[in-house]
Every structure is written in C-alpha cells, then in structure tokens.
Amino acid sequence: MIYPSVREGVFLARPNRFIAQVELGGKTEICHVKNTGRCKELLIPGAEVFLSEADKPGRSTKYDLVAVRKAERLINMDSQAPNKVFLEHLRSGRYMQEVDHIKPEAKYGGSRFDFYVEAGERKVFIEVKGVTLEEGGVALFPDAPTLRGVKHLNELAGCVREGYEAHVVFVIQMAGALYFAPNDATHPAFGEALAAAMASGVKATALDCFVAPDRLEIKGSVPVHIRR
C-alpha cells in the first residue's frame, strides 16, 4: 500500500490518543494518530515521524501520522494498514493459492473475523493482528492487555472444531524481526490462549514488512515462538 504526499516531521507531544503535535517545516502541526494504542516506546519527544497528507475536505487535521523511526528501524504504526497489506498479499496468491472468494469482516459466533476465504475445498477464517512493539529484535503482541484478542483466539479454535480452517496472522509493521512471540509480560492470558488455539489446530503465522515513509508491503514469514 502507498501513502500520498508524505512529509517528515519531529514528534513533540500526544495530548490524547487521537492526536499528536508534530514540528513540520518550523511550525507545530496537529496530526491525527492512526493508532489508538499506547505506543509509548515509539512516540517519544524528538522522534522522527512521517505524515501523510489527508485528502478529505472538512477534516480538523490535515495530516495522518503513519510511521516513526525507532533507532535504525522504521515502524509503520497505522492500525488500518495490516488488513490492507494482508489483503494485497492474499490476492497475490503468496499466502494461499487458488483463492476463489474473499469476504472481509466475516461474522462467526460472537466474533467478526477480518476475512473469510474459500480456496477450492478450503473454508478459512482469518484474523489479522498488527504488531508495532519490538524488544531486542523480537516482535511482540499485544502492547497492552486485550480481552478482545483472547476472545478471537478462543473463537478461532471453535471454528476448527466446526470443521473450518482458522488462521491468526500477525503482520509485523517493520522489517528485520528475529521472531514473533506473545507478550507474556504484559498479558499472559493472550499467550496462553494462543498456545491453546495452536494446539487445537489454529494456524499462527507472523509476516514482516518492507517499510518506507510512503509505503508498506509484506515481505515474508518469520518464526512464531510460544510457551508450551
């Protein structure tokens, strides 16, 4: 996916989870943050950030904050991007071959999964999670407790019991991760649910990305490490 009209700025402050103050061209600009997560390890004063100009009349902010540089690594932090780049990846045939049908926002039980896919005889529910947290080269999810994430994993396991395939895909919004792991220090219940889901037949995949200020593309898979 490609972002239009990207400009480089310097992060100053985040008054609330929806907006950030950014120095842009010597002026302070109020920008929309396309990620409502905490992102405390990313959005620190002085960080180099990248803004995409929004082409929507009537908006209160002119720019979206879409990426940030952490040391030598550029991290995309647009929470809408993982689904978009995974859909591109899915349509390319690189994730799954012979795809006949793709339905976004597919309801199953008490959950709404990101995709339902049919490929020949295969019927697959897929949930996508964006990953922006990195520690020591390891990509971690979640960055905050997520009861919704645990519910998704439990219901993916339910899909398997009903005869469907079920996948959870972690789109790592950066390049160069050594491997992916659940963030047990922050939310051990998510790691436990992931291990249980995988034991029941849910496929877990982690995909890293090529990140540039104006684009995001899936590169390939990285190992998934969980507690057993």
Side-chain angles (χ1 to χ4, degrees):
M1 62 176 292
I2 297 175
Y3 294 99
S5 306
V6 171
R7 298 183 63 183
E8 179 182 342
V10 177
F11 177 79
L12 299 175
R14 189 179 186 182
N16 61 54
R17 61 181 182 153
F18 300 106
I19 64 170
Q21 296 170 347
V22 175
E23 182 184 331
L24 187 65
K27 298 180 180 180
T28 298
E29 191 79 36
I30 304 299
C31 308
H32 172 59
V33 180
K34 298 198 74 176
N35 189 318
T36 57
R38 297 178 182 178
C39 304
K40 290 183 178 179
E41 77 288 349
L42 298 178
L43 295 180
I44 59 177
E48 180 184 16
V49 294
F50 294 91
L51 313 175
S52 174
E53 187 169 353
D55 186 18
K56 291 183 180 178
R59 271 188 44 148
S60 60
T61 54
K62 184 178 180 181
Y63 296 97
D64 292 320
L65 195 161
V66 297
V68 58
R69 193 174 299 282
K70 179 187 176 187
E72 300 302 316
R73 181 177 274 117
L74 186 61
I75 300 175
N76 177 287
M77 53 178 296
D78 177 357
S79 61
Q80 297 176 358
N83 279 27
K84 292 179 181 178
V85 294
F86 179 74
L87 180 58
E88 292 174 354
H89 190 61
L90 188 58
R91 286 173 171 165
S92 75
R94 292 171 59 202
Y95 182 78
M96 183 186 301
Q97 296 183 344
E98 300 179 355
V99 172
D100 304 313
H101 175 70
I102 301 172
K103 180 182 178 181
E105 296 294 316
K107 190 174 181 180
Y108 176 87
S111 289
R112 190 179 297 274
F113 296 118
D114 291 314
F115 299 100
Y116 169 73
V117 178
E118 293 181 357
E121 298 297 314
R122 301 172 67 185
K123 300 180 186 299
V124 190
F125 284 100
I126 302 173
E127 178 66 15
V128 177
K129 303 293 186 187
V131 181
T132 60
L133 178 62
E134 172 271 334
E135 292 181 3
V138 178
L140 300 168
F141 182 91
D143 64 356
T146 170
L147 296 177
R148 182 170 177 265
V150 171
K151 178 184 175 184
H152 280 151
L153 292 172
N154 292 338
E155 294 213 336
L156 284 172
C159 293
V160 174
R161 290 192 292 270
E162 294 293 326
Y164 295 95
E165 282 188 52
H167 300 186
V168 57
V169 178
F170 298 95
V171 174
I172 303 170
Q173 293 168 254
M174 65 194 85
L178 299 174
Y179 60 89
F180 166 83
N183 189 1
D184 292 325
T186 294
H187 195 193
F190 182 85
E192 293 165 3
L194 179 59
M198 293 173 66
S200 73
V202 175
K203 179 182 178 182
T205 302
L207 302 170
D208 71 348
C209 292
F210 167 78
V211 184
D214 66 342
R215 70 184 59 219
L216 183 73
E217 298 172 5
I218 287 177
K219 289 174 55 182
S221 62
V222 301
V224 175
H225 292 187
I226 62 167
R227 291 182 298 154
R228 294 289 185 178

